[in-house]
Amino acid sequence: MQIVIDHLVKTYEGGIRALDGVQMQIGDGVFGLLGPNGSGKTTLMRIIATLLEPTSGAVSIDGNDVRRRQSDVRKLLGYLPQEFGLYPSLTAWEFLDYMALLYNVEDTRQRERIVNESLERTNLTHLRDRKVGTFSGGMKQRLGIAQAILNSPKLLIVDEPTSGLDPEERIRIRSLLAELGGDRVIILSTHIVADIEAVADSIGVLHLGKVKFQGTHEELLRSIAGKTWQIEVEREELRQIKEKLQITGVFRSIGGVEIRVVAASSELGGSLPHIRARQVEPTLEDAYIHLMGGSAVG
Amino acid sequence: MADRDRAVPGDVPGKPHSPRTQSSTLDFVPAGGAVWGIARHEFSMGSRSPVFWAALAVCGTLVFRECLPDGTTASLAAYRIDKWSAMILSFITLFWMASVASRDTWIHTEDILFAKPQTTEVLVLGRFLGNLGLMLAILVDEIIVGAFAHIAFAGTPPVVLAYYHAFWRGALPVFVMASVGYSFSLIFATPVAGMVAAVYYLAVLGGRDYISRIFNFSLTQNAPIFLPLAVALLAVSLIVYKRDRRTRCAPLSLSLVILAGAFLSVRSAVGIAGTSHDEPMFRNPMLEAMGSQSLQPDMRCPGFTLPNQKGRWTGLRDFPGDMFVIGLWSPEAPVSVQVLDTLKQIDEMFGNQGVRSIGICIGEEHSTARDFGSENGDRFPMLTDIGARASIDLQQSSPLAMAFGVAYLPKLVITDRQRIVRFITNSVASEAVIPQVEALVKGIPVQP
């Protein structure tokens, strides 16, 4: 499956340009769409999911233009929005049965089978008769994924699926997405780098409606190869360093604070000649923050 | 028309441009199974709501209280159920349906639903039917409670036909309110829009003395106007909703919809005014002529031509040489309904001696005469005063009431074979009337 995004522009009423000429090509596997809040990720997801009209440009999914062939595209996709509600008085099973009807599965036995499969894949079988209104955030998120995979979609779009979850549920969702990513395209939109690191095969980075990067982990990491350092500093020095270098991480240490910075060695020596820096392996977070020029960390 | 594809595990359509998967912006091929499946879930979902159970309890209690006997017949009990249904359940339906139509916006389920391939028609129709079913369940609850109250406390046998009629009479305002509440909320994406109908209906109910009956959608004679309007409104709302929320088409201009709605309303008004006497809208020369007569003892009885229970226009001239016992009644005056028993008794005793019982129902609701007649197994003509409208002053309620000088109901008039008025009474007791009829049949004069 191939998703082609061509010069996509979306301008909302009031002139806010959420997407500004986005171009991307997405193939099989898990594609991580990374970007800070307000970068245009959700807008892009909703356009691909046929829920929003672009101002200009085009998106095609396996040759189906999302504007002209909405019905065909909807048959191909499963979508979990960033913010969604569920009918609280229905049980998990009933909710999925309802959703299966919206996938045009009219045969009762067939519906029962796919609902059970979805519950099983999302590890919700034991909660099938429990009312959705009593679910925790993580359970709701899993049920959201369950409804999105009812039709075994060739394209699964999940928008910020781990946002607001506790670490245990976050890991559970990540592993679920990794499992599902075998033979389909999953577009995982998030601002949490660890999510992408865990499951994405390739990455796209959006910032202010524009694509800042598209490629693999390795390609992104390569951009800061040999430039990542860890430095132990006094708390008082932190402000001064922040002005000179791009900090990608701050950790508490016994003597004070340890920071991670991305900088060329010459730049590091010029800025802080007296400080002893230890070169470390770059992480995706380092590369992402470096790419965003620090804006991702506010 | 377009086929619907099934998307199931292992059978996801992956062939683009296949004729089987062609889509259109307005695909009016509802999938029966999916519609009923969605309706079933909606019904089940709504039936778990405390609001639903509260509505069920309130409506049931009010009807129970209303149907406790004070000389109530089964027909009257059934009529009162409808009255409460039109008064209370209609508003509950309006609020309920308006909320259902906006529910997805509140709880953020729209994106999940709209990303699915199911057509909007099926979704909208399934939801409407499921929730309409819930409101009709409350109506059925009212009927059961009303029937129970009547059977348990009045001690008279139930008349199944009366409850059957009650259901259909009660279902009309429920359906119209459901359609209006649901449609307006869909179009304007807020339940407040649906509430506009509540203001309208309150005005119609409150201003019945001044507003033409045509505007009251709970009257069954207005069903040919309001049922198509309700269905049309649903269709229009579906189109607007679909185009606004789910397709690439530009939003349909709401002014066009409003214009279409206004046109249909005016057309409906003109249509119904042409077939009935509805003073604020239309004056019927025939009824005007009726109103210009006057009931006087020993004078010729005012004439009339009104539809009977079969819809056939019937008047005194259809029975030349007969004596007439004319009973005027209204379900709004419960005691007056007992005149029907007297008329029935006279019909059975003197029908073969050229005595003709005629019942005339003076009430806004045109189906009452027909329904009461069939429920009681009356064989005599039961006429509907089509000129009747709500009025505190009974004499002003219709030209016929004016002609007969109706200050109280019932009013019973006996004529001789020359149509000369020989006896007038407000009594419902058969023992007060039968001796008079008997005397007149034998040619003995009676005191008017």
Side-chain angles (χ1 to χ4, degrees):
Chain A
M1 170 171 271
Q2 190 77 8
I3 298 160
V4 180
I5 301 166
D6 186 23
H7 290 96
L8 202 64
V9 173
K10 176 66 189 178
T11 309
Y12 288 107
E13 276 176 31
I16 299 160
R17 186 164 275 218
L19 295 177
D20 191 4
V22 170
Q23 289 204 76
M24 277 185 183
Q25 285 208 355
I26 302 168
D28 282 342
V30 180
F31 179 79
L33 187 62
L34 203 54
N37 293 329
S39 60
K41 301 188 300 293
T42 296
T43 300
L44 180 59
M45 299 294 95
R46 296 190 79 232
I47 289 173
I48 298 173
T50 74
L51 296 167
L52 198 63
E53 287 288 305
T55 308
S56 64
V59 178
S60 72
I61 299 169
D62 257 2
N64 293 301
D65 186 293
V66 295
R67 298 175 83 174
R68 295 202 186 98
R69 302 183 67 85
Q70 290 179 333
S71 182
D72 295 340
V73 169
R74 285 172 189 151
K75 286 168 189 162
L76 297 173
L77 70 84
Y79 177 53
L80 176 69
Q82 180 179 358
E83 280 178 24
F84 66 96
L86 305 163
Y87 300 135
S89 61
L90 291 184
T91 65
W93 197 93
E94 287 169 333
F95 176 75
L96 292 180
D97 188 60
Y98 195 143
M99 294 300 114
L101 283 163
L102 300 183
Y103 278 116
N104 279 325
V105 188
E106 287 181 33
D107 182 78
T108 314
R109 271 179 296 179
Q110 202 172 13
R111 225 163 50 231
E112 198 173 322
R113 183 172 60 77
I114 64 167
V115 167
N116 288 337
E117 272 176 24
S118 274
L119 284 169
E120 204 173 305
R121 295 196 80 167
T122 50
N123 196 24
L124 287 169
T125 306
H126 62 294
L127 298 171
R128 54 170 277 157
D129 296 321
R130 192 162 139 186
K131 282 190 181 166
V132 172
T134 65
F135 276 24
S136 68
M139 290 172 190
K140 277 184 187 160
Q141 210 64 273
R142 275 188 281 150
L143 189 60
I145 293 174
Q147 64 78 29
I149 61 169
L150 274 169
N151 64 333
S152 294
K154 290 285 179 199
L155 167 62
L156 177 63
I157 301 171
V158 281
D159 196 357
E160 305 276 6
T162 60
S163 170
L165 298 184
D166 61 48
E168 198 183 333
E169 276 294 356
R170 189 173 286 184
I171 289 164
R172 200 177 273 175
I173 297 285
R174 280 179 197 156
S175 73
L176 176 59
L177 291 174
E179 270 173 48
L180 292 169
D183 56 350
R184 72 188 88 215
V185 177
I186 296 182
I187 303 181
L188 165 63
S189 157
T190 182
H191 64 279
I192 301 166
V193 180
D195 288 348
I196 301 284
E197 205 158 27
V199 292
D201 302 312
S202 56
I203 305 167
V205 179
L206 272 185
H207 183 49
L208 296 174
K210 291 186 173 166
V211 179
K212 285 208 86 167
F213 172 83
Q214 190 185 355
T216 60
H217 283 203
E218 292 73 27
E219 284 166 344
L220 187 55
L221 290 174
R222 212 174 295 145
S223 67
I224 55 165
K227 294 181 184 173
T228 315
W229 311 86
Q230 198 151 325
I231 312 165
E232 195 167 335
V233 295
E234 297 294 324
R235 282 180 197 275
E236 297 73 41
E237 291 174 308
L238 206 52
R239 181 186 290 264
Q240 187 195 349
I241 295 169
K242 220 173 173 180
E243 283 165 9
K244 293 176 179 169
L245 294 169
Q246 189 177 44
I247 299 175
T248 59
V250 181
F251 316 94
R252 201 165 58 84
S253 71
I254 300 159
V257 178
E258 269 200 60
I259 58 169
R260 283 174 79 91
V261 297
V262 177
S265 56
S266 55
E267 193 186 348
L268 190 69
S271 303
L272 304 162
H274 62 287
I275 279 178
R276 227 160 37 121
R278 177 162 50 91
Q279 195 169 48
V280 288
E281 280 296 308
T283 65
L284 209 55
E285 192 151 341
D286 296 326
Y288 171 64
I289 293 167
H290 176 65
L291 183 72
M292 303 304 289
S295 61
V297 287
Chain B
M1 291 294 278
D3 289 333
R4 284 170 301 96
D5 284 354
R6 293 182 175 204
V8 295
D11 184 26
V12 177
K15 295 174 187 169
H17 311 297
S18 145
R20 212 173 143 248
T21 58
Q22 288 288 330
S23 64
S24 65
T25 50
L26 288 174
D27 184 359
F28 279 109
V29 187
V35 168
W36 291 115
I38 291 167
R40 188 171 45 80
H41 278 303
E42 288 289 331
F43 189 93
S44 151
M45 210 189 313
S47 67
R48 291 170 196 175
S49 160
V51 178
F52 170 75
W53 288 100
L56 204 72
V58 167
C59 289
T61 309
L62 289 172
V63 163
F64 183 81
R65 193 176 155 275
E66 190 67 14
C67 290
L68 286 177
D70 52 348
T72 345
T73 64
S75 294
L76 204 52
Y79 177 82
R80 286 175 172 184
I81 292 169
D82 289 338
K83 200 175 142 193
W84 277 102
S85 180
M87 290 284 289
I88 306 294
L89 183 55
S90 294
F91 288 104
I92 291 174
T93 302
L94 183 73
F95 295 134
W96 182 274
M97 298 303 279
S99 311
V100 164
S102 328
R103 185 184 61 201
D104 291 318
T105 312
W106 291 354
I107 58 175
H108 302 293
T109 37
E110 273 184 332
D111 279 0
I112 282 183
L113 302 183
F114 288 172
K116 303 275 188 292
Q118 186 55 272
T119 60
T120 315
E121 292 86 338
V122 169
L123 182 64
V124 166
L125 191 61
R127 288 186 153 181
F128 178 77
L129 291 176
N131 287 286
L132 176 67
L134 276 171
M135 296 301 105
L136 292 178
I138 298 181
L139 177 61
V140 170
D141 162 68
E142 287 182 339
I143 290 172
I144 292 170
V145 169
F148 170 77
H150 175 71
I151 294 163
F153 297 101
T156 55
V159 179
V160 175
L161 195 58
Y163 299 113
Y164 172 78
H165 288 148
F167 177 80
W168 290 109
R169 285 195 305 258
L172 173 66
V174 168
F175 177 76
V176 174
M177 278 298 211
S179 168
V180 172
Y182 191 71
S183 303
F184 277 36
S185 293
L186 274 191
I187 293 172
F188 298 102
T190 165
V192 179
M195 303 309 165
V196 171
V199 178
Y200 169 87
Y201 194 38
L202 279 173
V204 168
L205 290 178
R208 282 196 300 175
D209 283 14
Y210 314 101
I211 295 175
S212 181
R213 284 168 301 165
I214 178 196
F215 296 110
N216 189 345
F217 52 80
S218 68
L219 301 177
T220 56
Q221 66 265 29
N222 293 340
I225 303 301
F226 285 102
L227 281 181
L229 264 180
V231 173
L233 191 58
L234 267 179
V236 168
S237 69
L238 170 63
I239 294 166
V240 174
Y241 181 61
K242 184 167 179 168
R243 292 172 81 105
D244 279 1
R245 307 281 188 89
R246 219 182 166 194
T247 74
R248 64 196 174 88
C249 307
L252 190 70
S253 167
L254 282 177
S255 57
L256 274 179
V257 177
I258 292 163
L259 273 176
F263 171 74
L264 283 171
S265 305
V266 171
R267 198 182 172 283
S268 303
V270 171
I272 200 140
T275 57
S276 75
H277 181 82
D278 217 351
E279 228 169 54
M281 296 288 294
F282 185 78
R283 297 176 82 87
N284 183 327
M286 185 186 73
L287 289 166
E288 296 299 318
M290 274 188 216
S292 66
Q293 306 169 91
S294 177
L295 181 78
Q296 300 288 338
D298 297 325
M299 300 289 283
R300 197 170 164 79
C301 180
F304 49 81
T305 305
L306 297 169
N308 69 7
Q309 57 265 59
K310 290 177 182 165
R312 205 177 131 243
W313 289 84
T314 306
L316 299 180
R317 72 177 62 172
D318 294 325
F319 309 100
D322 280 0
M323 260 179 65
F324 295 104
V325 182
I326 303 162
L328 292 98
W329 64 282
S330 167
E332 299 298 333
V335 177
S336 74
V337 178
Q338 292 174 39
V339 83
L340 298 178
D341 293 335
T342 305
L343 290 174
K344 190 176 185 179
Q345 212 175 331
I346 291 168
D347 184 56
E348 285 165 1
M349 288 173 71
F350 304 104
N352 56 0
Q353 296 174 53
V355 178
R356 186 70 53 185
S357 291
I358 294 180
I360 302 177
C361 176
I362 300 176
E364 281 186 300
E365 170 57 62
H366 286 188
S367 68
T368 314
R370 184 193 62 215
D371 290 350
F372 274 52
S374 62
E375 288 155 17
N376 298 325
D378 297 333
R379 289 163 183 260
F380 56 85
M382 183 76 87
L383 310 186
T384 298
D385 179 6
I386 55 163
R389 54 200 303 274
S391 175
I392 296 165
D393 179 1
L394 265 173
Q395 286 210 51
Q396 298 301 316
S397 64
S398 82
L400 191 80
M402 201 182 287
F404 276 80
V406 179
Y408 305 100
L409 282 174
K411 185 147 195 171
L412 199 131
V413 176
I414 305 175
T415 74
D416 62 16
R417 292 184 194 281
Q418 284 74 46
R419 272 179 60 182
I420 304 298
V421 176
R422 296 301 180 194
F423 186 73
I424 304 169
T425 181
N426 288 111
S427 170
V428 290
S430 56
E431 51 271 27
V433 180
I434 288 172
Q436 314 295 334
V437 177
E438 204 164 12
L440 282 168
V441 167
K442 289 176 183 166
I444 303 166
V446 297
Q447 286 295 317

